[in-house]
Amino acid sequence: MHVLLTGGAGFIGSHVAEELLGAGHEVRVLDALLPAVHPTYPGGRPDLPADIELIVGDVRDRATVDTAVAGTDAICHQAAMVGLGLDTQDMPEYAGINDFGTAVLLAAMDRAGIGRLVLASSMVVYGEGRYTCPEHRVVRPAPRTSEDLAAGRFEPRCPACGAALEPGTIPEDAPADPRNTYAATKLAQEHLAAAWARTTGGTAAALRYHNVYGPRMPKDTPYAGVASIFRSALEQGQPPRVFEDGGQRRDFVHVRNVAAANLAALRHDLPQGELRAYNIASGTAHTVGEMAAALADAFGGPAPVVTGDYRLGDVRHIVASPDRARGELGFSAGIGFAEGMREFATAPLRG
């Protein structure tokens, strides 16, 4: 199969590229090589295998995208602006790259007669995770207020009675509830892909990545993931600074597991004319505090510091069920938390 991989020079994309090559596919990469992600470019070809065809260009440019999709059989769409961002001034760029860029790509696929898409989505489309109230059963808490967070009241409460909630795992058919700009644009990507599939009869898999970490993660930036921020602090001899009380629950999934999920989605015969979403996760929850401690221990210190700081728009607990991906795609995360954190503690990051 000849696969176009957008964003293929990035953190996740470069691992997907290697996974596809290892499975015998031809790979063409389209990447804008934006300075925020590739600060050392220009200065030669990015660190990609020599047998990958590289097109440097913007997914928002119709002519570039038409050239990129020509002659391919399937698209793995990883290109996106990621992270929570800084403030509302980021909104136009998020919407432009993530949503307009996806629309340009889908239109080009239609013109070229390409009917297979694997889309990099995110667990952020769910907002807060799944919670159970002793009286009201499954409930969806309201966004946490700045007043509660400043007072150290981090746990969501039942919106009906105010009782403490028990967090659980969230399935793919849970209602979407994006709570920041990035989340809103990822959900919009899914809606655009679903509309494309219905109109063209194509197949689309939306892979809802959980907290991805691993080699080649970008160093500490406003858009970096928490694992990268902690790792960058350790390299500078500083303790990881853990927000809230460190009890936020996440599913940390190794980047090579994510790459394997992309290959599995390409191999799977998806239903035509619809988008099928999959949680890409390990199925095992860890707190942010546990992750910081494991990383610091593997790195050799210093130990994390719990700060009580917070960010509006962050969610408290988000852990999803990977059962659908396991049952339909045959995907399971082969690299576990302890093994992955030991590797990540000394793995190279992107400058």
Side-chain angles (χ1 to χ4, degrees):
M1 190 182 298
H2 193 175
V3 181
L4 171 65
L5 174 59
T6 70
F11 163 47
I12 296 175
S14 65
H15 287 275
V16 175
E18 291 175 353
E19 187 78 14
L20 295 175
L21 282 178
H25 298 297
E26 296 179 69
V27 180
R28 175 185 296 158
V29 163
L30 171 63
D31 200 301
L33 298 178
L34 297 176
V37 184
H38 303 275
T40 59
Y41 187 85
R45 179 184 169 93
D47 186 18
L48 288 170
D51 46 357
I52 287 179
E53 178 187 358
L54 174 64
I55 297 176
V56 178
D58 197 314
V59 74
R60 293 169 290 185
D61 181 74
R62 172 174 171 157
T64 299
V65 174
D66 278 338
T67 298
V69 303
T72 60
D73 304 303
I75 312 295
C76 273
H77 184 31
Q78 308 291 320
M81 187 172 178
V82 301
L84 183 61
L86 299 175
D87 53 38
T88 57
Q89 299 308 305
D90 281 333
M91 282 183 167
E93 192 166 13
Y94 270 105
I97 293 174
N98 296 357
D99 300 337
F100 180 65
T102 297
V104 170
L105 176 66
L106 293 169
M109 291 174 64
D110 186 26
R111 289 191 295 272
I114 300 167
R116 183 180 288 263
L117 172 70
V118 177
L119 170 68
S121 187
S122 173
M123 54 88 175
V124 297
V125 301
Y126 297 120
E128 283 285 354
R130 182 183 179 94
Y131 293 84
T132 303
C133 169
E135 180 179 353
H136 297 97
R137 307 179 75 177
V138 176
V139 297
R140 181 165 291 270
R144 299 177 298 165
T145 66
S146 57
E147 291 78 13
D148 279 345
L149 293 169
R153 295 188 292 267
F154 301 123
E155 293 292 339
R157 313 289 290 187
C158 176
C161 68
L165 299 174
E166 180 67 27
T169 56
I170 193 164
E172 287 87 352
D173 58 1
D177 186 19
R179 298 192 175 188
N180 57 56
T181 297
Y182 173 62
T185 63
K186 296 308 288 185
L187 183 59
Q189 284 185 309
E190 290 195 14
H191 289 321
L192 288 166
W196 164 84
R198 285 193 297 271
T199 301
T200 66
T203 66
L207 304 184
R208 292 174 177 169
Y209 302 158
H210 283 250
N211 286 68
V212 186
Y213 71 96
R216 301 180 214 143
M217 208 171 184
K219 289 184 179 179
D220 187 2
T221 77
Y223 307 96
V226 65
S228 175
I229 293 171
F230 290 169
R231 168 64 195 281
S232 296
L234 289 165
E235 287 196 339
Q236 297 164 17
Q238 301 296 319
R241 295 179 58 81
V242 179
F243 279 16
E244 302 186 17
D245 61 358
Q248 311 93 303
R249 296 169 73 245
R250 299 289 189 269
D251 189 317
F252 297 97
V253 58
H254 195 280
V255 66
R256 289 198 296 275
N257 292 332
V258 170
N262 277 267
L263 180 60
L266 275 176
R267 288 173 168 170
H268 184 69
D269 289 329
L270 298 166
Q272 292 187 326
E274 66 179 79
L275 177 138
R276 190 73 170 154
Y278 297 95
N279 290 322
I280 303 305
S282 72
T284 303
H286 292 275
T287 68
V288 173
E290 288 170 345
M291 186 273 285
L295 192 58
D297 182 65
F299 188 85
V305 173
V306 177
T307 67
D309 294 339
Y310 63 88
R311 295 191 305 181
L312 282 175
D314 276 349
V315 298
R316 180 62 176 176
H317 304 299
I318 176 67
V319 179
S321 167
D323 290 348
R324 179 185 287 181
R326 183 183 300 114
E328 296 187 7
L329 303 181
F331 165 77
S332 60
I335 301 172
F337 177 80
E339 174 190 357
M341 286 297 161
R342 284 195 300 269
E343 180 201 28
F344 182 56
T346 57
L349 301 181
R350 289 184 177 228

